[in-house]
Amino acid sequence: MDQKPAAQGGTPPSARPAVPVRTETALPGHLKPAITAVPVTPGIDLGAYVPADDETPSNEATEYFSRKVVDHELAASPVPVGKEQPAQGQIEAGAEAGKDFLKRLRLAAMGSQDSLTDIRSKYPGLSLSGNIISATFTVPHGLKYRKGQDWELKPRRGQSALFDSFAYLSSPDAPYNHTVVAWTGEIEQVPEELSPPGTPPATTVHLGSLNALSAPIPVDAASRAPPTPPLVDGLWISKEDMQRLEYQLSHHKSIKTVPVWLADDTEGHEEGIRLKDQARWRRYAEHDLYTLFHYKIHEPTDGRAERVQWADYFRLNQKFCNKILEVYKPGDIVIVHDYNLMLLPSMLRQRAPQMYIAFYLHSPFPSSEFLRCLPRRKEILEGVLGSNLVGFQSYSFSRHFSSCCTRILGFPSDTSGVDAYGARVEVGVFPIGIDAVKVASLAYNDEVDKKYKALRDLYAGKKLVVGRDRLDSVRGVAQKLMAFERFLEMYPEWRDKVVLMQVTSPTDIQETEDPENKIASRVNELVMKINGLYGSLGFSPVQHYPQYISQEEYFALLRAADIGLITSVRDGMNTTSLEYVICQRDRAGPVILSEFSGTAGFLKDAIHINPWDLSGVAEQINNALTMSEEKRRSMQDNLLNHVTSKNVQYWTAGLLRRLVNVLGSRKSAVSTPLLDRAMMLRKYREAKKRLFMFDYDGTLTPIVREPSAAIPSERVIKSLKALAGDHRNAVWIISGRDQEFLDQHLGHITELGFSAEHGSFIRHPGTTEWENLTEKFDMGWQAEVLEVFQKYTDRTPGAFTERKRCALTWHYRAADPEQGVHMSQECHKELENTVARKWDVEVMIGKANLEVRPTFINKGEIAKRLVTTYNAEMKPLDTPAHSPCDSRNLEFVLCLGDDFTDEDMFRALNGLSGPADGTAEIDADSCFSVTVGASTKVTLARWHLLEPEDVIECVALLAGVAAAGAGGSGGVLTMGEVNLAALSAVEDHIPDGVGEKI
């Protein structure tokens, strides 16, 4: 190991091993042996560590994902070059300290966790099965295929922390049964071995002739040679070989895996599957999502390629959904990982509504300004919102997600979650850790020791700054080189004394389509520039190795470093910084960490830098090199304590603990059942006198951004007209709208009754006059409210005040969502402390609005008034043929609404139908109070429908029956499947003519 540092301008040929001769494979470029099989330690070739004849090599290779901890002695602290070697007693003391260190790591990894019995006893209502299904994009193994033989499984590069988490969940240390569902990844076919020379082929069919004279002559000259079958693209895998892989993965000693086979439906059948263009399943996630999540935006295109890639992404998630449902059992917990599977939570929720689902994003999540650039932004957000819990690496990522749900989808959100579709989706921050025991075991062993000593000998008397990054634009390799150049410029005393060793592994994210992103060329230019300016014939300040390195080389590199330098410009969780802390147990070399890395948020004792501030980075490199031993040791101790305690086991247990807590609190909530349309139709047919009360906005029409745009559809008008046309029906619209709006859009239906401004005005069926129920009330409060509303309108662009006769409403739906919510809270607080204390009014919080109205005016009072009035009108109709209960009371009541103002109606109806002693105004079984929204919505209603479209379907169902009962020829509107099922259940057959239109 007497090698000298590399020469100026780059590493001399002798310092780099030659690329071995190889055959091309079907693997992507970054996985080919020409890249992965090249060692990185300068001057050390592939055979440098072949054991001597008297050494016995180990027959057991280290299992990358194995939970087994190698019981060895950790290496002692290295001695600075030029100093005396330690005595044998010191070496033994260092080894003993290494044992103690590993022991402490084991204890930290065990941590404290609840047993499954404790969890079940704490949340008995969850009925947890004890099974966890982890869905991740690729299996933890790279696969090599040989026809008819066992598959070759090798550790997959990348995502080591995630795979270590899977290994922990699959180990006896975890209280769960664990299964991973994942795509096979690109499968490499091992070429068949060539036969010895002279071996005749098995057949000469379809073989070309050696020359024209040797062409075969047909026996029948008139006949033609059979056509050569066309070559078929793709890799064919027989059913037998597919089952062989499934068996190997399901019986793997570390992680039980169920593979997902991805291919077009036409490429698979009973005999096997043909895999074509295997990389296609990555393209949308890596080309669109990964780049945008790291704040990179592609040039706009015509969208044709994006549509194809989106279709593949959708099918990918759909196939994962199908596979999970094959192994899922009620009570299982499903955890979905990363941006490749962002549609999966919603797909699972649709197929299994009671499933327990968590989603964890390992990459950054961008602000809403960037996410808006994604054409499929709504689908991506809605897909994730199928989860019960969404986890992120840092608080800023979680905050961006909640903000996007509010700004893009319009869902209310706060720092702890999002209210979507009537349910609460919790959002949490769970910084991932590493398996500290495993890293320490792999970093301190004889093989790594040899490579470590070789590096320290090679760079004797030099300070070694180490960087190891993937070669893509978000890792900041170019920024690192420019900062190092600035460092040599600002601090000439360090020239010839500091070496930057930069290892850049090829990226699996293809960015070659971006003309601005010639990152590899840029890095090479910077390396040559720095070595040309500050190097010499015998020394190169930058040693750049663009290749994969072995595991032993990697840990030797981290151990040999004096500084770890990470300059990523956007990153999720950089586990290199965590592994560096473990490897610096003895040397205590500082880690310089980009503030844009997700790791920076909790590695407080690292030196934080802005990679865009080159002079600032240069100053911190000098600071790290001149830092005192005492300060370095203090920083290292704090970092080591964090990394070993907040490890991958801690992360996994914390995520599951939070999910179970979320599920436990959700299960305690009462779920409102879906409206039973068959029961409603049966009660409707039996009734002689019926009352209908409908809210307008959000019930008969969807909520819209501009209130004046909420126009009733033609279908709504036809349905209401048909329903009100039956003389047995009393149909009322009870709305917060003013009289002018209701007159303009529904007033032509004279059979309808109206209540405007939440009960301030009423118009009876058959009349055109409005009755003011508040004419004797002092309206002096309105001037004070208008003044407050105007103040907040001036502060909130997009907000406006709607002035009604008896109420004032401040709308902020068109304002910035976050500013609108904040200003409405401030406005509400001011009104409660001023006007509400002085006047007999109440301040009501609506959907993106605030409304002030008299306290005695609400929809509940109108509902009571209508029920008692109609019951009173029916009293003179009592005859001996009818019991008092039958003739005196309404026999069918249907009330629908969507927001808090409609809860007053539900509360009133519950009171009117409460007593079971025969004195109730309404029979409880004949009273249908229905809220529009999710079943988890807090409400006083007894039933729910999901959206206004379902309300219209129900009205159409009753209106069609009413028309037939009144002498009509059939159904009023085209009947949907749900209505047809309800009608068939009541009539015990599918009626004729239910699909006719009027």
Side-chain angles (χ1 to χ4, degrees):
M1 289 301 174
D2 326 20
Q3 236 171 326
K4 293 182 180 179
Q8 179 180 4
T11 308
S14 60
R16 300 294 295 276
V19 177
V21 178
R22 59 178 174 81
T23 57
E24 289 297 330
T25 70
L27 289 178
H30 66 283
L31 295 178
K32 293 179 180 179
I35 296 296
T36 61
V38 181
V40 70
T41 309
I44 303 176
D45 59 26
L46 291 172
Y49 295 108
V50 176
D53 295 337
D54 57 344
E55 294 178 352
T56 304
S58 172
N59 293 325
E60 184 179 355
T62 303
E63 179 69 27
Y64 190 71
F65 296 104
S66 175
R67 297 280 306 165
K68 180 180 179 181
V69 177
V70 182
D71 190 10
H72 55 62
E73 298 176 353
L74 297 186
S77 301
V79 179
V81 177
K83 292 194 176 182
E84 249 185 303
Q85 295 297 321
Q88 182 64 28
Q90 291 176 302
I91 296 177
E92 293 174 355
E96 192 63 33
K99 288 183 177 180
D100 293 339
F101 175 65
L102 190 58
K103 182 178 180 181
R104 291 198 305 273
L105 293 186
R106 287 195 184 102
L107 293 175
M110 293 173 62
S112 60
Q113 60 180 1
D114 296 331
S115 67
L116 186 58
T117 303
D118 295 335
I119 298 172
R120 284 171 171 166
S121 61
K122 188 175 181 180
Y123 301 102
L126 295 180
S127 300
L128 294 174
S129 65
N131 299 326
I132 293 179
I133 301 173
S134 294
T136 189
F137 183 50
T138 55
V139 298
H141 319 281
L143 304 179
K144 287 188 176 181
Y145 170 62
R146 291 182 176 85
K147 184 178 179 181
Q149 301 180 32
D150 282 347
W151 293 67
E152 181 181 339
L153 309 182
K154 59 180 180 179
R156 184 179 295 276
R157 294 181 181 271
Q159 293 187 305
S160 59
L162 176 61
F163 295 152
D164 286 343
S165 171
F166 293 164
Y168 163 67
L169 284 172
S170 304
S171 72
D173 298 334
Y176 299 96
N177 298 317
H178 183 233
T179 301
V180 173
V181 175
W183 175 42
T184 59
E186 290 89 347
I187 296 174
E188 179 185 7
Q189 184 177 20
V190 179
E192 296 183 5
E193 296 182 1
L194 298 177
S195 303
T199 303
T203 177
T204 59
V205 176
H206 309 316
L207 292 180
S209 59
L210 298 177
N211 53 60
L213 297 178
S214 64
I217 301 174
V219 175
D220 183 1
S223 66
R224 294 184 178 182
T228 302
L231 295 176
V232 180
D233 295 332
L235 172 63
W236 172 259
I237 300 177
S238 67
K239 190 69 174 179
E240 180 182 357
D241 288 332
M242 292 172 64
Q243 292 173 347
R244 181 180 290 109
L245 175 63
E246 291 170 0
Y247 179 85
Q248 286 182 242
L249 293 176
S250 64
H251 290 77
H252 192 270
K253 61 181 180 180
S254 297
I255 304 172
K256 175 185 175 183
T257 306
V258 176
V260 177
W261 298 93
L262 295 180
D264 288 332
D265 294 336
T266 57
E267 296 167 357
H269 44 79
E270 294 181 0
E271 287 77 18
I273 191 171
R274 186 172 301 282
L275 305 179
K276 298 180 182 178
D277 188 13
Q278 298 182 62
R280 64 188 288 188
W281 306 104
R282 297 178 178 270
R283 289 193 184 117
Y284 183 83
E286 295 181 353
H287 181 271
D288 289 69
L289 296 182
Y290 176 88
T291 51
L292 187 116
F293 284 4
H294 289 81
Y295 288 79
K296 286 179 59 63
I297 302 177
H298 296 289
E299 290 293 325
T301 66
D302 59 12
R304 284 179 290 184
E306 188 265 347
R307 283 193 293 272
V308 174
Q309 292 169 7
W310 171 258
D312 286 339
Y313 184 77
F314 184 90
R315 286 191 299 159
L316 155 75
N317 281 260
Q318 206 167 42
K319 289 177 182 293
F320 265 79
C321 179
N322 295 337
K323 182 59 67 175
I324 289 174
L325 290 174
E326 289 179 13
V327 299
Y328 168 78
K329 297 177 182 178
D332 289 0
I333 290 175
V334 178
I335 304 178
V336 181
H337 291 274
D338 228 2
Y339 55 87
N340 300 89
L341 302 174
M342 296 186 81
L343 302 181
L344 183 56
S346 181
M347 290 180 174
L348 291 171
R349 181 69 62 205
Q350 293 173 16
R351 302 274 295 276
Q354 302 304 318
M355 184 180 288
Y356 306 148
I357 305 173
F359 175 83
Y360 189 84
L361 185 67
H362 294 259
S363 73
F365 194 88
S367 64
S368 59
E369 285 75 14
F370 267 80
L371 194 67
R372 286 180 187 276
C373 301
L374 185 69
R376 304 285 182 173
R377 57 191 185 270
K378 290 187 175 180
E379 290 88 339
I380 292 296
L381 290 174
E382 289 170 348
V384 175
L385 289 175
S387 311
N388 301 107
L389 173 67
V390 182
F392 296 92
Q393 299 275 18
S394 73
Y395 173 73
S396 62
F397 303 158
S398 70
R399 180 170 52 85
H400 288 161
F401 175 78
S402 298
S403 176
C404 287
C405 291
T406 298
R407 293 176 178 273
I408 296 175
L409 298 180
F411 292 139
S413 67
D414 52 37
T415 56
S416 64
V418 181
D419 296 317
Y421 310 109
R424 179 72 173 178
V425 180
E426 295 290 332
V427 174
V429 179
F430 309 93
I432 200 170
I434 60 173
D435 190 337
V437 176
K438 173 185 163 185
V439 171
S441 301
L442 296 174
Y444 293 91
N445 57 51
D446 293 340
E447 189 70 17
V448 176
D449 288 347
K450 292 178 183 179
K451 296 182 185 297
Y452 161 77
K453 291 173 183 176
L455 282 170
R456 293 309 304 176
D457 291 343
L458 184 61
Y459 294 101
K462 310 292 184 185
K463 294 291 186 180
L464 193 59
V465 180
V466 167
R468 187 269 202 179
D469 305 275
R470 201 162 60 187
L471 189 58
D472 58 38
S473 57
V474 302
R475 306 300 171 181
V477 178
Q479 285 82 352
K480 182 185 302 184
L481 291 168
M482 289 187 286
F484 187 69
E485 178 187 3
R486 180 63 175 152
F487 163 73
L488 295 176
E489 178 186 351
M490 292 174 61
Y491 302 96
E493 65 272 18
W494 284 111
R495 297 174 188 175
D496 296 332
K497 298 178 182 178
V498 179
V499 176
L500 171 62
M501 179 175 283
Q502 177 63 45
V503 179
T504 51
S505 58
T507 179
D508 54 354
I509 306 296
Q510 298 182 2
E511 298 181 312
T512 54
E513 298 177 11
D514 188 350
E516 299 179 1
N517 194 23
K518 303 296 184 182
I519 184 64
S521 300
R522 177 62 175 154
V523 166
N524 290 332
E525 290 172 2
L526 288 169
V527 171
M528 290 187 290
K529 177 185 176 184
I530 297 170
N531 287 338
L533 285 174
Y534 301 105
S536 63
L537 290 176
F539 174 71
S540 295
V542 177
Q543 298 290 323
H544 179 222
Y545 300 93
Q547 61 199 47
Y548 279 123
I549 61 177
S550 69
Q551 187 172 265
E552 292 78 15
E553 289 172 322
Y554 170 66
F555 286 117
L557 198 63
L558 296 188
R559 283 179 55 185
D562 294 286
I563 295 175
L565 183 56
I566 298 169
T567 56
S568 50
V569 296
R570 186 66 56 179
D571 205 355
M573 189 56 56
N574 190 299
T575 56
T576 300
S577 60
L578 308 180
E579 292 163 344
Y580 177 82
V581 170
I582 297 291
C583 292
Q584 288 293 315
R585 171 180 68 88
D586 300 310
R587 295 180 58 83
V591 57
I592 301 177
L593 183 61
S594 168
E595 64 186 48
F596 296 106
S597 170
T599 324
F602 58 89
L603 288 186
K604 302 298 183 183
D605 285 275
I607 300 175
H608 294 179
I609 50 97
N610 177 1
W612 302 102
D613 179 8
L614 302 183
S615 296
V617 178
E619 291 173 2
Q620 293 302 336
I621 294 175
N622 179 67
N623 176 35
L625 290 172
T626 58
M627 187 179 295
S628 67
E629 171 71 21
E630 181 182 0
K631 186 173 182 180
R632 286 193 294 112
R633 176 54 59 189
S634 174
M635 293 172 61
Q636 170 65 17
D637 289 344
N638 292 334
L639 290 171
L640 189 61
N641 178 65
H642 178 90
V643 172
T644 54
S645 59
K646 303 299 188 294
N647 50 29
V648 71
Q649 293 86 355
Y650 176 89
W651 170 75
T652 306
L655 180 64
L656 287 171
R657 188 182 303 113
R658 177 69 183 280
L659 175 61
V660 172
N661 289 338
V662 168
L663 295 172
S665 60
R666 186 202 69 172
K667 277 292 182 179
S668 62
V670 177
S671 179
T672 306
L674 188 67
L675 177 62
D676 188 334
R677 299 191 192 185
M679 179 189 294
M680 177 187 68
L681 178 58
R682 190 174 291 109
K683 291 290 184 180
Y684 176 86
R685 286 185 165 187
E686 295 171 354
K688 302 293 190 299
K689 189 63 177 178
R690 312 157 184 144
L691 173 63
F692 297 84
M693 293 176 282
F694 298 110
D695 174 45
Y696 185 77
D697 292 287
T699 302
L700 293 176
T701 61
I703 296 292
V704 293
R705 192 172 182 85
E706 175 58 43
S708 61
I711 308 301
S713 66
E714 185 67 21
R715 190 180 185 202
V716 170
I717 293 175
K718 286 183 177 181
S719 299
L720 291 175
K721 187 179 294 185
L723 194 65
D726 190 331
H727 68 278
R728 294 169 292 184
N729 297 341
V731 183
W732 283 74
I733 308 298
I734 303 178
S735 172
R737 294 283 187 167
D738 58 25
Q739 306 98 294
E740 288 77 10
F741 182 92
L742 295 176
D743 274 336
Q744 178 183 356
H745 297 292
L746 294 173
H748 61 282
I749 308 177
T750 57
E751 297 88 353
L752 290 179
F754 297 96
S755 171
E757 299 189 27
H758 301 293
S760 299
F761 300 88
I762 63 172
R763 195 190 91 173
H764 291 277
T767 67
T768 58
E769 299 298 323
W770 287 88
E771 178 183 351
N772 186 354
L773 302 181
T774 63
E775 58 185 348
K776 297 181 180 180
F777 185 75
D778 186 359
M779 294 295 175
W781 56 271
Q782 290 190 336
E784 298 182 27
V785 173
L786 279 173
E787 184 179 350
V788 176
F789 278 171
Q790 187 59 47
K791 179 173 72 172
Y792 285 92
T793 299
D794 294 339
R795 298 180 181 179
T796 314
F800 65 93
T801 301
E802 179 185 6
R803 185 166 185 174
K804 306 172 185 177
R805 293 189 183 182
C806 296
L808 295 173
T809 307
W810 186 70
H811 296 273
Y812 58 89
R813 186 174 298 277
D816 179 270
E818 293 181 354
Q819 185 190 23
V821 171
H822 174 71
M823 286 299 172
S824 71
Q825 293 171 347
E826 295 295 317
C827 183
H828 180 266
K829 186 186 301 182
E830 182 171 341
L831 290 171
E832 287 287 357
N833 292 331
T834 56
V835 180
R837 293 186 177 185
K838 182 178 177 182
W839 298 87
D840 191 14
V841 296
E842 58 182 340
V843 184
M844 308 296 293
I845 303 175
K847 292 183 177 178
N849 67 67
L850 286 177
E851 182 165 288
V852 183
R853 67 187 186 193
T855 54
F856 65 90
I857 295 298
N858 61 68
K859 293 183 178 181
E861 294 299 323
I862 295 298
K864 288 181 184 177
R865 181 182 183 127
L866 294 178
V867 170
T868 55
T869 298
Y870 281 112
N871 280 344
E873 290 176 357
M874 295 178 64
K875 285 183 180 179
L877 301 178
D878 284 352
T879 64
H882 297 86
S883 67
C885 184
D886 288 337
S887 58
R888 185 186 65 218
N889 293 349
L890 290 164
E891 297 171 325
F892 180 87
V893 176
L894 176 61
C895 178
L896 294 107
D898 72 305
D899 69 7
F900 72 99
T901 62
D902 302 309
E903 294 297 317
D904 292 330
M905 290 195 293
F906 303 150
R907 182 182 294 104
L909 292 177
N910 290 342
L912 293 171
S913 61
D917 55 4
T919 62
E921 292 285 341
I922 317 169
D923 182 9
D925 293 337
S926 300
C927 180
F928 294 84
S929 55
V930 186
T931 187
V932 181
S935 62
T936 54
K937 178 180 179 181
V938 179
T939 181
L940 295 171
R942 295 173 179 171
W943 306 91
H944 90 280
L945 291 170
L946 285 175
E947 54 188 359
E949 183 64 26
D950 297 322
V951 174
I952 305 308
E953 286 287 336
C954 288
V955 175
L957 174 64
L958 302 181
V961 175
S969 59
V972 179
L973 301 173
T974 302
M975 185 159 290
E977 294 180 1
V978 180
N979 280 356
L980 181 60
L983 186 59
S984 301
V986 173
E987 297 187 351
D988 289 331
H989 69 280
I990 300 177
D992 297 330
V994 293
E996 297 178 6
K997 297 182 179 180
I998 58 172

